[in-house]
Every structure is written in C-alpha cells, then in structure tokens.
C-alpha cells in the first residue's frame, strides 16, 4: 500500500472511531461488539446471532483478556459476564470506567446473577443495561 493510501486509511479509521455507536447505526455501519463470557457455548451463540444481524463480534473468555481487547480494539459495545476467571465482571467494569479510552463504551451485563441486588449493583457500577441468563438471543441483539 502506498504511503498516501496508508495515510488516508489511518485518517479514515481515526474519524470513524470518533463516531458514536448510535451515529454508526443511523449511518448503517456495523458495530464491533466484545463478548466477555467464559462459557464458550454462550459466547458462540451470542456471536452467531450478532453476525447474523451484521455486527462484528470479538470474544474474550476471561476478565483480563476482556480489558486488553477493549483497550486495544475499542468496541462500540461490551457484553460482560459477571462471573469470569482472572477478573470478575465488576472488576472489569470498574477498570473500563476508570480508563479514558474505554470509559464511554456502553456495557451490558449478561449474567446468571438475577437477584435485584445484583442488578442494582451492576447498574450502580456503571453498566448501561442488565440481561439475565437464560436470555433470548433475538432480544439481546435488539438491545
């Protein structure tokens, strides 16, 4: 690739990364969505449904990898399990909200913890939504 083309692609990437999730959806762009879930079967199910809806899923199977992927790839949305190895979802969310690179990425908890106290704690930590397992893949994609 020529230097001029490389420069153009880099400028385009930088411009696109400053466009919000809702603006991308309005424009018709695809969202990159991080699935932070230690259960591979659930992660695969969610990824399949997101791909069918035109999104690009990324997967992380533990909390530390989820943080690394979020910081590196800056997805438009993160689906975050609460109970994961390495670092639990609450720890991941705290770190995401402390980091200027990731603090504005919407996060939806996707978890088996269904008690009202769990939902309240997740939302108080800064989650944007809370979906409990079992869940409807179609409903999740629509959120």
């Amino acid at each position: 690739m020529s230097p001029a083309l490389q420069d153009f692609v880099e400028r385009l990437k930088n411009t696109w990364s400053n466009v919000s999730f809702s603006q991308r959806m309005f424009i018709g762009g695809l969202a990159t969505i991080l699935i932070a879930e230690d259960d591979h079967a659930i992660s695969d199910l969610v990824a399949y449904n997101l791909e069918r809806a035109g999104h690009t899923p990324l997967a992380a199977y533990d909390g530390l990898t989820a943080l690394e992927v979020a910081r590196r790839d800056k997805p438009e949305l993160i689906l975050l399990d609460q109970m994961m190895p390495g670092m639990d979802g609450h720890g991941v969310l705290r770190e995401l909200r402390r980091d200027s690179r990731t603090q504005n990425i919407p996060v939806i908890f996707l978890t088996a913890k269904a008690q009202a106290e769990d939902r309240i704690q997740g939302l108080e930590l800064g989650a944007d939504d809370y979906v409990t397992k079992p869940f409807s893949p179609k409903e999740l994609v629509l959120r």
Side-chain angles (χ1 to χ4, degrees):
M1 186 178 322
S2 74
L5 184 55
Q6 282 179 320
D7 181 57
F8 173 75
V9 169
E10 197 57 40
R11 283 187 288 133
L12 187 60
K13 281 183 191 177
N14 289 336
T15 300
W16 189 247
S17 69
N18 292 325
V19 176
S20 73
F21 177 74
S22 57
Q23 290 169 324
R24 287 187 191 200
M25 296 301 96
F26 180 77
I27 294 168
L30 304 178
T32 299
I33 301 173
L34 171 58
I35 306 161
E37 167 65 61
D38 62 324
D39 185 321
H40 289 249
I42 293 173
S43 180
D44 291 347
L45 173 69
V46 172
Y48 172 78
N49 282 279
L50 290 173
E51 284 177 333
R52 287 193 61 205
H55 302 294
T56 303
L58 303 172
Y61 302 107
D62 64 76
L64 295 174
T65 303
L67 274 175
E68 178 185 318
V69 172
R71 289 173 174 151
R72 181 189 65 221
D73 296 327
K74 297 179 192 83
E76 284 80 29
L77 175 67
I78 299 172
L79 301 175
L80 182 61
D81 187 15
Q82 278 191 14
M83 298 177 288
M84 292 186 296
M87 179 184 287
D88 71 6
H90 288 159
V92 172
L93 183 56
R94 277 188 207 96
E95 290 299 316
L96 290 169
R97 294 302 183 236
R98 286 182 190 141
D99 189 329
S100 63
R101 298 170 291 177
T102 59
Q103 66 187 5
N104 294 319
I105 298 173
V107 174
I108 298 175
F109 268 122
L110 179 61
T111 182
K113 297 187 103 182
Q115 298 297 318
E117 304 86 49
D118 297 317
R119 292 191 305 272
I120 290 167
Q121 184 180 21
L123 294 169
E124 285 179 341
L125 282 171
D128 297 279
D129 202 352
Y130 198 101
V131 177
T132 57
K133 300 172 189 173
F135 60 93
S136 160
K138 184 175 183 175
E139 178 186 355
L140 183 62
V141 169
L142 291 173
R143 284 182 185 243

